[in-house]
Amino acid sequence: MLRFFVSVIVFAALCFAGTDAELLKHADANLKSSSKNDQFKAYDTYKQVYLKALVEGNDKVCKRCLQGIVTSGRMLHIDVDKYSKKLSKYKQAPSKKTVVHRKKKSRTKTASGKNIKLSSQRALESVQWNGGDLVLAFDSPLKAKDVNYFSIQEKKKRRFRYIFDIHSIQTKNHTIKHREIKRIKLGQYKSGTLRLVIESTKKLPLHFKLDNELLVIMLGVKRVKAPLANKPMHAKNKTIVIDPGHGGKDAGAVGYKRYFEKNVVLQIAKKFAEILKKDGYKVYMTRSSDKFISLRQRTAFANRKKADLFISIHANAVPKKNTKKAHGIETYFLSTARSGRAERIAAKENAVDMRGFKGGQKGYLEGMTNRKTIASHKLAIDIQQGILSKMRAHYSDVKDGGVRGGPFWVLVGAQMPSVLVEVGFISHPKEARRLVNRRYQKYFAQSLADGVNRYFSKNP
Ligand SMILES: [Zn+2]
């Protein structure tokens, strides 16, 4: 299952890469057009892809996008000084792909006070028993040089210690136990080095292997049935507002067999809230019954609760003639960059209630900060990946609709990272049947919680 999990991530990454390349191709074509409208589209697209590349630390794409932003921006008489400065920095440095996972920690000061970049910091994501094997999963691949293994065997004292020093950091506490083993300790040994000590009263036929992001340690002990339950240590002191879309007079989308979006999203949201509470988060819901709430009230509520995250849950739908074609799960974040698709979805979700947004778009564009957009984008990626990896483990043909930025009014005004999840197409016969199914809803709620944990483990 872990291997599957990893392949899902790789798959998702490939999907994103494909979309970006296509988007950039489109933008390049639009840039050549004489229509101002097309040039504007190009400008927006470059910015959208740039933001994503920035999040992913993909310098090559960043550079390409910056070139696009500067060229299109100048054609449109937009002030692109900021971008052109960034571009000149890229031109000085040789372009190569570097993934920096933790910007703050990967920079350190030299004696002269200049910032230098260290190599990327790997983080431990999870520890699980897989049968009798202990599996440590990291957020980037391990090489032989990243793991230093040795053992201290004291026969007379009946003390056998097996020690792994791993080039990585830890973002949460893991309690690892096994009936046959005296003690298993895992902790930050020194900066950048994680130490795992397995202590036994008898000699273990221990061996291990590296499998991309995984360190698999075969201990030769009995199978462990129950998975390890680790409460994420970051859950403490974090507040999450869950926003089930629509409600009351606003049914949202009406789908297959007249299933209502407002009901499906409330059912999933309630289960999601329960799981997060069990994980130790403080959770509020904008509505927990079938009542109407304006879009503006929803984010205002999250702001009042000083939430760390705002997650809006919706379901998608298409007109009758396309119901069998459109399906899949999508996650959106608020962004001024648009794609046609994001705009269509946003128009649908925005339609019911636009009160309180009379100021038009200008106000919200000004209110958006780059930092919040990047955090929301990261959250969207983690949630989408959390959903896909879990749902695909349980159901076949779960479609990745992708992560996109768009002008969603319900996210406007949220002072914290915020996303809107379209849990699927309620108009699609098969997906609708799943969406009203309790077991599917439960898995979906768990997968959303996985996404939240994934986000906080990287952004504590
Ligand atoms: Zn909706």
Side-chain angles (χ1 to χ4, degrees), residues 246 261 314 349:
H246 313 277
E261 175 184 358
H314 287 256
E349 298 297 2

Side-chain angles (χ1 to χ4, degrees), residues 277-295:
K277 278 180 196 164
K278 273 187 198 145
D279 273 352
Y281 293 98
K282 199 173 216 179
V283 185
Y284 296 100
M285 292 174 73
T286 52
R287 69 176 178 100
S288 49
S289 63
D290 184 20
K291 68 172 181 198
F292 179 81
I293 303 166
S294 74
L295 294 180

Side-chain angles (χ1 to χ4, degrees), residues 44-56:
D44 262 351
T45 307
Y46 288 127
K47 269 179 86 170
Q48 180 187 342
V49 180
Y50 170 66
L51 209 61
K52 186 156 161 268
L54 207 62
V55 172
E56 289 163 358

Side-chain angles (χ1 to χ4, degrees), residues 138-274:
F138 296 85
D139 66 355
S140 64
L142 291 159
K143 293 206 178 83
K145 67 172 170 57
D146 296 322
V147 179
N148 180 28
Y149 165 72
F150 58 99
S151 65
I152 304 170
Q153 311 203 6
E154 298 160 288
K155 270 186 193 158
K156 279 182 190 161
K157 287 187 186 165
R158 288 169 51 85
R159 188 158 80 154
F160 298 86
R161 279 177 292 171
Y162 304 88
I163 298 147
F164 292 83
D165 283 341
I166 307 150
H167 184 220
S168 172
I169 59 160
Q170 186 182 20
T171 53
K172 55 182 167 182
N173 288 323
H174 299 273
T175 316
I176 317 162
K177 281 182 180 159
H178 192 284
R179 270 184 300 139
E180 292 174 45
I181 291 165
K182 192 177 170 196
R183 193 177 295 136
I184 302 177
K185 279 199 294 189
L186 180 67
Q188 203 71 48
Y189 173 59
K190 57 185 183 191
S191 165
T193 305
L194 198 62
R195 176 167 277 189
L196 171 71
V197 182
I198 300 166
E199 188 181 329
S200 167
T201 51
K202 59 175 193 197
K203 195 173 174 173
L204 295 172
L206 181 146
H207 52 289
F208 69 95
K209 64 174 182 188
L210 301 177
D211 182 2
N212 281 312
E213 287 91 346
L214 306 182
L215 167 61
V216 183
I217 305 168
M218 289 143 280
L219 295 158
V221 290
K222 275 203 184 116
R223 293 179 60 84
V224 174
K225 266 189 193 161
L228 275 176
N230 288 318
K231 271 203 177 180
M233 85 177 166
H234 45 254
K236 221 180 154 202
N237 307 325
K238 296 283 189 219
T239 303
I240 297 168
V241 167
I242 302 173
D243 173 46
H246 313 277
K249 65 179 181 185
D250 170 18
V254 179
Y256 176 73
K257 286 198 171 169
R258 293 193 55 77
Y259 294 141
F260 286 173
E261 175 184 358
K262 66 171 183 178
N263 296 335
V264 168
V265 296
L266 180 61
Q267 285 157 2
I268 293 174
K270 277 183 171 173
K271 292 180 170 71
F272 179 30
E274 280 315 306

Side-chain angles (χ1 to χ4, degrees), residues 309-432:
L309 300 180
F310 177 80
I311 301 170
S312 194
I313 312 282
H314 287 256
N316 220 329
V318 288
K320 226 168 194 166
K321 59 177 195 249
N322 294 322
T323 52
K324 282 187 181 148
K325 283 182 211 149
H327 66 117
I329 299 156
E330 297 157 343
T331 304
Y332 290 89
F333 62 99
L334 180 65
S335 159
T336 53
R338 289 120 180 256
S339 65
R341 188 186 183 88
E343 213 148 310
R344 278 196 301 280
I345 304 291
K348 209 179 294 172
E349 298 297 2
N350 292 340
V352 176
D353 174 35
M354 291 282 289
R355 281 175 307 160
F357 295 114
K358 289 204 185 84
Q361 297 194 345
K362 204 164 167 267
Y364 100 76
L365 294 181
E366 283 164 358
M368 271 179 66
T369 63
N370 215 20
R371 206 162 47 104
K372 201 178 78 196
T373 306
I374 290 175
S376 297
H377 194 169
K378 283 180 176 174
L379 175 64
I381 290 172
D382 284 333
I383 286 196
Q384 182 75 3
Q385 289 189 344
I387 295 170
L388 291 176
S389 59
K390 179 154 231 115
M391 298 316 281
R392 282 181 170 160
H394 293 284
Y395 296 88
S396 63
D397 55 48
V398 171
K399 191 182 164 197
D400 176 14
V403 169
R404 290 188 188 82
F408 289 88
W409 288 111
V410 70
L411 303 178
V412 171
Q415 286 159 4
M416 66 293 302
S418 50
V419 294
L420 182 147
V421 181
E422 294 279 359
V423 296
F425 282 76
I426 201 170
S427 50
H428 188 271
K430 187 172 174 183
E431 206 156 63

